[in-house]
Amino acid sequence: MSNGRSEVDPFSETPMELEPCEGNGQAIIDESPKNGLETNAVGEAAYAEPLTPEEIRWFYKDGVDKRWVEFCGYDSLRIEKIYQDRQDLLGRIDAETDSLPPAEKIVVRGGMYDVEIDNMKCVSIYWPGEEWEIMRATWYYDGSWIPLESEHSKVIEEVHLNLFQRESNNQSSSKCDTNNQSYKVLHTEQFSEFHVDWHTINDVTLYSEYTPTKLMRSVTSKLGFTKTTGYRLKRGYKTRANMENKPRDIDHLVFVVHGIGQKRDTGKIIRNTTCFRDCVDWLKQKYFPNSKHRVEFFAVEWRSSLKLDGDIVDAITPYSVLSIRHLLNASAMDILYYTSPLYGAEVRAGLQKELNRLYFMFASRHPGWQGKVSILAHSLGCVIVYDIVTGWMGPDTRLPSPAQEVLLQGLQFPIENLFCLGSPLSVFLALRTRTPSNRLDVMPQGLCKRFYNIFHWSDPVAYRMEPLLERGYSKIEPVLIPPYGGVDGQQSMERSPSSFNNGDPVLPPTETDDKDDSPVGTPNRSAEKGWSLWDLVRGGWNVKEGPSSPTPDSNPPIRPEQELTQRLDYVLRAVGLGRNYLYTVTAHTAYWNNYDVAYFVLTRLFPTLET
């Protein structure tokens, strides 16, 4: 551990420095609440007592940011109870004759994960492959409340109790003198990279042993700098665990369906879902802290269970440019598989089976559940979900395959909303008939109440839906998704957590870039010259949600009777885009950590939030 190292505080929005303290010969008075301490008549800590379950806290290591995050009080107390029972049982059995039965699993995080205390793991219940390390924490860095590793905390706790715990004869093994000006060291415990000094019962400090070379240690010693910067340690967590501190019941499920490119990275959709869930949770706590609603996002990984060609494509792939070939086989090939009459039904059946499995597994664990279900799909996943919901069977249904027989059963639950991110669905629909109808019934409300086609202008895979239903909508601007937490379309200045990247990345300008004085959220129209592909799907800018309105420089493109009952196309603001065409490389996958998208989805799932 190096001095002054920046650490991430899992309970704040920004990184923070661990607060160092110097051994300056002055006793540091700790005025914080005394955890596990008995006080004397004047309120000074006199003795240390073992920490109570309420003072101990359990943590899990976040799957995205790899940081320690606290379990809620309800989960932490239940985990601690099983842990203590386990320790008592270990103390009673005979290791030579008795075998220890496996510990019971503890359902945590609102019913989404199991804690396996024997393995010190937190494992996902509904999808395979996601497991997090857990830790029992008793000692923390002061200020940041980052927990020390459990093996270090265990040793420090034992030493602390030996020094300050009241003995059976009511005498202290080591008296605490908070007014001692000599700043003496009562005890030092040595570890491999640091040591811990006890100055008083309330002043325990960790000192880093790390210096680059023996020469540097020798030089600093000769100069008199024998004492390195220390970090104050705190015993017991800053807030006591409470059984009332627990998640609310889930009232809306959202199944998150991936698109192409998952064949060789089955955990990608889990990471993306976790990232999107974290965005939604942060927004909910920031803007709707009193809301009683709870949404939960379920990752739906449909690709790994499909055999399809049995790796024939890999076998016929030439060895030239092998890395690029593998990339194409793992991504673009999925589109070919789905458009194939041989494999399309198998892909639909695979996704449908996984959606139904997740729903019934959840329902079996929550009998009598009366919540709603929505689907958030990305890329090719939008097309597959659409075909499953509407019952599209492909070009040739004369000889139904076993997979098509399964599809005839449909989904086993109603859908409230279908959110499509970066969707090519309209292209698939347009290519399925020679004469597409202007009044194509894209999504009957009997199958799905609301349909949202969300895209970024720079996304090369996304297409509009509304012109497929009414050709005149090609001249009507899509609905602009406002900034998250904004009022009347004004950009919110609130800062999102530093662990996520919201909005467009800043790319270096080209030499020919002109100065752009456009307001935030409006692209530089002069920058669009020369890129004809941009205009193929561009319908316009700066529109507010509501009835369709004509562009100012043309006649109304549609008559009132042609207006759609609901808008379908929703576009993200192009903040700072300019001529940064390179953003198209990442635009198709940038939805998962975009706070505008997360805020839009959250407020559509629970429309009463904004009222």
Side-chain angles (χ1 to χ4, degrees):
M1 181 180 298
S2 59
N3 296 334
R5 183 183 63 177
S6 177
E7 298 282 354
V8 176
D9 179 0
F11 314 105
S12 70
E13 300 170 7
T14 58
M16 65 184 302
E17 293 285 330
L18 294 176
E19 294 185 5
C21 65
E22 298 288 347
N24 55 7
Q26 297 293 325
I28 301 174
I29 304 301
D30 181 10
E31 299 180 353
S32 61
K34 308 301 187 294
N35 287 332
L37 302 177
E38 180 180 331
T39 58
N40 58 22
V42 294
E44 295 176 333
Y47 305 105
E49 297 295 337
L51 293 172
T52 66
E54 290 77 14
E55 294 167 330
I56 298 168
R57 212 56 182 262
W58 285 80
F59 288 75
Y60 63 91
K61 183 164 284 188
D62 180 80
V64 174
D65 299 315
K66 306 301 181 184
R67 60 195 178 108
W68 288 111
V69 180
E70 63 177 351
F71 282 101
C72 67
Y74 176 76
D75 289 344
S76 186
L77 287 171
R78 291 161 56 242
I79 299 172
E80 178 65 15
K81 174 65 166 57
I82 298 298
Y83 174 83
Q84 293 288 358
D85 292 345
R86 202 68 172 163
Q87 295 302 306
D88 293 342
L89 183 59
L90 283 171
R92 293 196 305 266
I93 67 171
D94 187 335
E96 296 183 0
T97 60
D98 297 334
S99 61
L100 188 65
E104 63 177 290
K105 295 181 179 179
I106 308 113
V107 179
V108 296
R109 301 199 63 198
M112 302 298 296
Y113 297 84
D114 280 335
V115 161
E116 299 176 353
I117 201 71
D118 290 337
N119 302 322
M120 295 296 284
K121 297 288 186 182
C122 180
V123 182
S124 58
I125 294 174
Y126 294 98
W127 49 86
E130 186 181 23
E131 63 177 34
W132 300 334
E133 182 183 354
I134 64 173
M135 180 174 65
R136 183 177 186 262
T138 53
W139 285 81
Y140 307 83
Y141 290 102
D142 187 16
S144 68
W145 292 99
I146 298 171
L148 272 71
E149 294 297 328
S150 56
E151 62 269 19
H152 298 149
S153 289
K154 184 177 181 180
V155 175
I156 294 172
E157 177 69 4
E158 290 176 352
V159 171
H160 191 80
L161 289 176
N162 288 336
L163 285 173
F164 300 110
Q165 189 172 15
R166 184 194 298 268
E167 295 181 341
S168 58
N169 59 0
N170 292 330
Q171 296 296 322
S172 170
S173 60
S174 179
K175 294 182 179 179
C176 168
D177 183 5
T178 57
N179 295 318
N180 187 352
Q181 296 298 315
S182 65
Y183 207 64
K184 66 181 180 180
V185 176
L186 301 178
H187 179 81
T188 297
E189 190 69 25
Q190 191 72 42
F191 296 90
S192 59
E193 296 182 357
F194 60 88
H195 70 272
V196 177
D197 285 350
W198 277 260
H199 302 288
T200 70
I201 192 172
N202 295 323
D203 186 359
V204 182
T205 307
L206 181 151
Y207 294 100
S208 173
E209 299 275 333
Y210 175 77
T211 50
T213 63
K214 291 183 178 180
L215 175 63
M216 287 298 298
R217 286 197 296 269
S218 174
V219 170
T220 55
S221 176
K222 290 179 180 179
L223 292 176
F225 302 121
T226 56
K227 181 70 70 176
T228 59
T229 300
Y231 298 98
R232 295 276 301 275
L233 300 181
K234 303 294 287 185
R235 180 174 182 253
Y237 195 51
K238 59 182 178 179
T239 56
R240 296 171 66 89
N242 190 318
M243 288 295 286
E244 300 300 319
N245 174 220
K246 61 184 298 187
R248 297 182 180 274
D249 293 334
I250 298 171
D251 52 3
H252 208 130
L253 288 181
V254 178
F255 293 122
V256 184
V257 179
H258 67 78
I260 63 175
Q262 304 284 314
K263 182 178 179 181
R264 299 184 188 278
D265 188 2
T266 58
K268 186 176 182 180
I269 185 58
I270 295 176
R271 296 192 300 272
N272 289 338
T273 302
T274 299
C275 185
F276 195 81
R277 181 191 299 117
D278 289 344
C279 291
V280 170
D281 287 345
W282 183 86
L283 290 166
K284 187 172 179 292
Q285 294 172 11
K286 180 71 176 178
Y287 298 105
F288 313 106
N290 298 322
S291 172
K292 297 182 179 180
H293 295 295
R294 181 188 168 196
V295 57
E296 191 53 66
F297 296 88
F298 279 42
V300 184
E301 200 284 301
W302 52 266
R303 183 62 178 84
S304 62
S305 63
L306 304 178
K307 301 302 181 183
L308 299 179
D309 61 15
D311 293 330
I312 293 177
V313 171
D314 286 339
I316 62 177
T317 300
Y319 287 107
S320 59
V321 288
L322 197 60
S323 60
I324 298 178
R325 295 278 195 170
H326 282 314
L327 175 63
L328 293 175
N329 289 353
S331 56
M333 280 299 299
D334 281 344
I335 297 177
L336 299 181
Y337 284 134
Y338 192 62
T339 55
S340 163
L342 185 61
Y343 298 117
E346 186 177 346
V347 172
R348 287 190 294 276
L351 175 55
Q352 177 183 294
K353 180 180 178 181
E354 182 64 11
L355 286 168
N356 285 331
R357 183 192 71 84
L358 287 171
Y359 176 78
F360 283 116
M361 186 177 180
F362 177 84
S364 66
R365 299 174 72 102
H366 299 80
W369 184 71
Q370 298 295 322
K372 298 178 180 179
V373 181
S374 293
I375 295 179
L376 179 73
H378 179 244
S379 190
L380 180 66
C382 304
V383 182
I384 307 172
V385 169
Y386 174 86
D387 290 344
I388 293 173
V389 173
T390 59
W392 189 77
M393 300 297 295
D396 189 357
T397 58
R398 292 173 296 177
L399 297 174
S401 66
Q404 288 173 326
E405 293 289 352
V406 173
L407 285 168
L408 290 175
Q409 302 171 10
L411 291 179
Q412 302 298 308
F413 52 89
I415 299 175
E416 189 76 10
N417 305 283
L418 174 57
F419 300 96
C420 292
L421 307 178
S423 170
L425 174 60
S426 58
V427 174
F428 279 76
L429 296 180
L431 297 179
R432 286 175 181 176
T433 175
R434 293 181 181 273
T435 56
S437 169
N438 285 349
R439 304 302 294 177
L440 176 67
D441 193 1
V442 62
M443 181 63 74
Q445 283 195 329
L447 300 176
C448 176
K449 290 185 179 180
R450 282 304 306 263
F451 177 93
Y452 299 95
N453 182 44
I454 301 169
F455 63 98
H456 194 290
W457 284 121
S458 297
D459 188 341
V461 179
Y463 290 83
R464 293 193 62 182
M465 285 293 300
E466 292 170 340
L468 190 66
L469 281 72
E470 282 293 346
R471 196 63 56 86
Y473 271 86
S474 62
K475 298 180 180 180
I476 298 294
E477 298 172 340
V479 180
L480 182 65
I481 295 178
Y484 70 92
V487 180
D488 296 330
Q490 300 299 315
Q491 182 179 8
S492 169
M493 300 306 293
E494 298 286 351
R495 188 172 182 273
S496 57
S498 60
S499 56
F500 303 109
N501 178 24
N502 183 44
D504 302 337
V506 178
L507 298 178
T510 61
E511 294 181 0
T512 58
D513 276 352
D514 298 326
K515 290 184 178 180
D516 184 4
D517 297 326
S518 334
V520 173
T522 306
N524 182 4
R525 289 192 179 268
S526 64
E528 298 173 14
K529 294 179 181 179
W531 192 17
S532 58
L533 289 178
W534 186 281
D535 295 321
L536 290 179
V537 294
R538 180 172 60 83
W541 302 88
N542 301 332
V543 69
K544 296 179 182 289
E545 184 172 3
S548 56
S549 56
T551 54
D553 56 348
S554 65
N555 294 324
I558 58 174
R559 296 185 299 275
E561 65 272 12
Q562 294 176 309
E563 287 192 358
L564 301 177
T565 56
Q566 296 177 343
R567 294 301 303 269
L568 304 179
D569 291 334
Y570 295 83
V571 67
L572 288 165
R573 57 195 174 105
V575 178
L577 187 60
R579 292 194 190 185
N580 292 326
Y581 304 147
L582 292 178
Y583 184 63
T584 58
V585 177
T586 59
H588 186 56
T589 58
Y591 302 101
W592 303 113
N593 59 1
N594 189 294
Y595 281 80
D596 291 347
V597 176
Y599 188 88
F600 180 83
V601 170
L602 175 62
T603 52
R604 268 42 184 193
L605 293 172
F606 306 112
T608 57
L609 289 180
E610 290 193 308
T611 60

